[in-house]
Amino acid sequence: DWSSDVCSSDLGGGRKVLPNFPINDIAHLRIKQGTNEVNLVKKDDLWRVKERYDYPANFSELGDLLKKIQDLKIIEDVPVGPSQLGRLELNPPDKGGSNTATLVEFKDAKDANLKAILLGKKYSKSSGGGEASPFGGGGDFPVGRYVMAQDGANKVALINDPLSNVETKPEQWLNKDFFKVEKLKSIAVTHPAGTNSWALTRDKEGGDLKIGRAHV
């Protein structure tokens, strides 16, 4: 009911957030939050990170996410009016501001949109077991998230997964197997576009690799 603001939540009945999810047709995953975005694109039967010079993506992590999205179920329907979308961090990314959602788009090999979803505010419970308010304050342990499928229905739902790994950081999606080369001290990839250049370095043998900007 878009004529009201916030109503009491109704049980979602275990319906899927994105029914008929075409997981086998997806060849491009775009994640956008504010002015940042990352594109994972399937090329030559290999998933790649566009923002890192088409370096191979972590297929295991990507595959797990796609399967999770395919099975994502509504725990509660959350009827809200348009004026409350910002409080749930579900304003469209192109609206700007601090209360915009994370947009996740699923595209086919021709780059046509198949499905899309907006990820909003995380739903938390306090360490003491009490539930946090959906509009801020209280809890500190994320257990769910407010989402809205971009299917024209404009309906907000609560899911029982915070989807915390859905971020626009390109380095998160890189295939880390390459970085297991023995005694590797540093590696850099340079690109004509400076923002696509990156480097990995470690201070000492056996230490963790740290990502930064390549010196070009």
Side-chain angles (χ1 to χ4, degrees):
D1 180 1
W2 288 88
S3 62
S4 62
D5 276 348
V6 179
C7 304
S8 59
S9 299
D10 299 316
L11 293 178
R15 290 175 286 110
K16 288 190 176 183
V17 178
L18 297 177
N20 304 315
F21 187 70
I23 189 169
N24 294 323
D25 297 330
I26 296 170
H28 180 181
L29 175 65
R30 177 180 181 239
I31 305 173
K32 178 177 176 59
Q33 211 290 318
T35 59
N36 300 317
E37 71 174 82
V38 63
N39 290 268
L40 309 176
V41 183
K42 192 174 183 180
K43 295 182 178 180
D44 302 323
D45 292 324
L46 185 66
W47 282 93
R48 302 176 183 276
V49 184
K50 179 180 177 181
E51 284 74 16
R52 287 298 178 264
Y53 203 34
D54 284 348
Y55 188 83
N58 185 330
F59 177 76
S60 176
E61 185 171 349
L62 175 58
D64 287 347
L65 174 61
L66 292 178
K67 291 177 182 177
K68 182 179 293 186
I69 294 294
Q70 181 184 37
D71 296 331
L72 209 57
K73 292 182 179 180
I74 297 172
I75 302 303
E76 294 183 15
D77 292 304
V78 186
V80 298
S83 65
Q84 297 295 332
L85 290 180
R87 297 180 68 181
L88 294 178
E89 299 177 11
L90 281 171
N91 284 329
D94 57 5
K95 187 173 182 178
S98 59
N99 294 320
T100 57
T102 297
L103 170 65
V104 186
E105 293 179 331
F106 306 92
K107 304 170 180 284
D108 64 15
K110 296 182 179 180
D111 226 26
N113 286 336
L114 299 173
K115 296 281 185 176
I117 187 172
L118 294 173
L119 308 182
K121 186 180 182 68
K122 294 176 183 177
Y123 183 77
S124 301
K125 286 187 177 181
S126 68
S127 56
E131 292 188 357
S133 165
F135 297 111
D140 55 6
F141 184 74
V143 295
R145 196 160 187 173
Y146 295 93
V147 302
M148 186 166 66
Q150 284 204 312
D151 54 7
N154 296 322
K155 291 184 177 180
V156 177
L158 177 64
I159 60 174
N160 65 350
D161 191 323
L163 297 175
S164 299
N165 64 328
V166 182
E167 297 184 357
T168 57
K169 299 177 181 178
E171 58 270 22
Q172 174 189 330
W173 300 99
L174 296 174
N175 184 344
K176 306 301 192 300
D177 289 344
F178 176 79
F179 307 136
K180 294 179 181 179
V181 179
E182 187 176 359
K183 296 183 180 180
L184 179 69
K185 185 176 181 180
S186 66
I187 183 172
V189 173
T190 59
H191 189 270
T195 56
N196 289 336
S197 300
W198 54 278
L200 288 170
T201 60
R202 57 163 49 105
D203 296 330
K204 59 182 180 180
E205 184 176 331
D208 293 332
L209 284 165
K210 299 178 181 179
I211 193 162
R213 181 167 294 182
H215 298 288
V216 294

